[in-house]
Amino acid sequence: MTRTLTFALASAILAGAAIAAPIELGPRPYYLIDRMEEGALKDKLMACQDMDMTAQKFSIGHRGAPLMFPEHTVESNRAAARMGAGILECDVTFTADKELVCRHAQNDLHTTTDILATDLGAKCTTPFAGADGDTPAVAECRTSDITLAEFRTLTGKMDAANPVGEIVEAYMDGTAGWRTDLYAAMGGTLMTHAESIALFDELGADFTPELKSPSVEMPFDGFTQADYAQKMIDEYKDAGIAPNRVWPQSFNLEDVLYWIENEPEFGEQAVYLVEWSEGFDEQNAETWAEDFAALVDQGVNYLAPSINMLVTVKDGEIAASEYALAAKDAGLNLITWTLERSGPLTTGGGWYYQSVAEAVDNDADYFTVLDVLAQDVGVDAVFSDWPATVTYYANCMAQGM
C-alpha cells in the first residue's frame, strides 16, 4: 500500500514541472553575501554570483525547506530540490498499522499537521486542552494513534504551536515571526516513506532517511526495533535504489550497528547522529560521550554532530572545535545539522550556535560558519532549512561528497 502513490500525491508531484529545471537559488544567498564583512571570503563568494548553479550533495534539504514550507511535504522537498539540495531527508516513523511515514517525530502531528482541526483529534494520545490561566495548552498526537488511511487525510502546516491558545485555532497559530505561513495556506501534501523515495528519485536527489525513536514502547504490536530498522531499508530495496545513494541515519547507535551487520551495503553509509547535551564542552574531551576510535572499530563511517559541537571561538574568530578535529583524526566522515534552523543570528542564533554565540551578530555569519565547517572541519555535507545558501557555497567553493 505504501508503494502506491495516492492520486493527491501523484498530482502534487506532476504539478512540480520539469525535474531537470535549472537550479533557482532566489535572492537569499545574495542578500546574505551583500551584508558580509569585507574580506577574502566575501570577495570569493561575490565572484561566483554569475555562476550557473547545479545541485550539490554537499547541500542536504533538512525535512525539505522548512524555513518557509511545511516540513516533510511534497511542496517542501520540491522547493529544496529546486534550490539544489542533492540529498533530501525523510524522518521515518510509523502508523498504527505499522506503515512508514515521513514525520520528524512520532508524536508531532499536533504541531505539524491539521489533525486537531479534524475529527481525528479525538484519537490523539492527549487530546487538545486549551490554556487556562497559567496552565498552558496541551496536546500530543502520534502517527501511531492513527492508521495510514487516516494519516493520508491530513495536511501539513508549519511546525509550531501557541501554548497560550485557548482554542484549537489559536493553538495551531504559532508560527515564529522569522518563518512564514505564506506557503502553508493551502496545506502541505504529506508522504509515506515509500512515496518520498519515489519523489526524491524523480527529483534527481539522493536520500538520507532518519529512523526516529518511537514514542511507543517497543515491540509495538509485535513490531520490533529490528523490524522497524529493516523495513526502512527494505523500502529502498523494493524501489530499486542503489545503496550508495542512501545515507540512513539514527541517533540510536544500535540501529546503525544493525544496518552495518545486516545490510552492509547500506550500512557503509549509515550515519550516527549525535547532539550537544548538558555538560558538553566542544574543547574538553572529558565531556565527550563518543569514543571515536571505538565507533570506527565497529564499522561506523559517518558521524553527524550538531553544528554547535563542531565550531568554537578562538582568538575572537569562529574556528573548528577540538571535538571536530579529533573526530576527523579518528577517520570519521562528518555531516552536520542544521544551518538556518533556530532563528536569526542577529539574536545569537539559538541552540545551534551556542558555542559561537559571542562571534555571530548577523545572518551573513551563516556563510562564515559554513566556511569553517567546510574548510577547517572538513564536513562532507550540511543540512539546512533553506538549502539555497549551502548550494551557493558548494558551487562556489567546489564542495561535495
Side-chain angles (χ1 to χ4, degrees), residues 127-356:
F128 173 76
D132 184 8
D134 294 332
T135 302
V138 294
E140 184 188 1
C141 303
R142 301 175 179 177
T143 56
S144 54
D145 291 333
I146 59 176
T147 66
L148 176 60
E150 290 169 329
F151 176 84
R152 291 187 187 280
T153 68
L154 303 177
T155 60
K157 74 176 192 69
M158 296 299 285
D159 182 14
N162 176 8
V164 299
E166 297 179 358
I167 60 174
V168 164
E169 291 77 10
Y171 178 78
M172 293 173 62
D173 185 19
T175 303
W178 44 272
R179 290 186 172 144
T180 179
D181 286 314
L182 184 62
Y183 302 111
M186 293 187 290
T189 308
L190 304 189
M191 299 180 292
T192 68
H193 174 239
E195 289 166 348
S196 80
I197 295 172
L199 174 64
F200 300 173
D201 192 38
E202 185 112 6
L203 291 170
D206 286 348
F207 316 84
T208 186
E210 181 188 336
L211 196 73
K212 302 304 295 189
S213 298
S215 297
V216 295
E217 185 176 347
M218 300 292 277
F220 175 76
D221 190 26
F223 190 54
T224 67
Q225 186 69 24
D227 293 336
Y228 181 28
Q230 186 63 51
K231 186 177 178 71
M232 189 182 86
I233 298 302
D234 285 345
E235 294 197 343
Y236 289 94
K237 296 166 72 174
D238 291 346
I241 301 298
N244 65 1
R245 295 182 61 196
V246 185
W247 284 263
Q249 318 166 66
S250 180
F251 278 98
N252 180 357
L253 180 58
E254 294 306 311
D255 294 335
V256 174
L257 297 179
Y258 174 87
W259 294 322
I260 290 170
E261 180 178 354
N262 295 281
E263 291 287 351
E265 289 186 293
F266 288 90
E268 182 74 16
Q269 294 185 163
V271 181
Y272 179 35
L273 294 155
V274 295
E275 62 184 335
W276 180 294
S277 58
E278 186 176 354
F280 176 85
D281 182 339
E282 74 279 5
Q283 298 296 88
N284 182 356
E286 294 183 0
T287 70
W288 305 345
E290 290 72 50
D291 183 333
F292 301 136
L295 289 174
V296 173
D297 287 344
Q298 290 173 295
V300 177
N301 293 321
Y302 284 89
L303 184 71
S306 48
I307 286 174
N308 46 23
M309 301 174 78
L310 299 182
V311 291
T312 193
V313 178
K314 297 179 181 178
D315 300 322
E317 302 292 333
I318 299 170
S321 70
E322 291 302 316
Y323 180 95
L325 297 175
K328 288 293 289 186
D329 285 346
L332 288 163
N333 300 297
L334 298 179
I335 295 172
T336 194
W337 49 281
T338 300
L339 205 73
E340 304 198 61
R341 174 70 189 166
S342 61
L345 296 187
T346 52
T347 54
W351 185 85
Y352 290 88
Y353 300 91
Q354 58 190 297
S355 60
V356 293

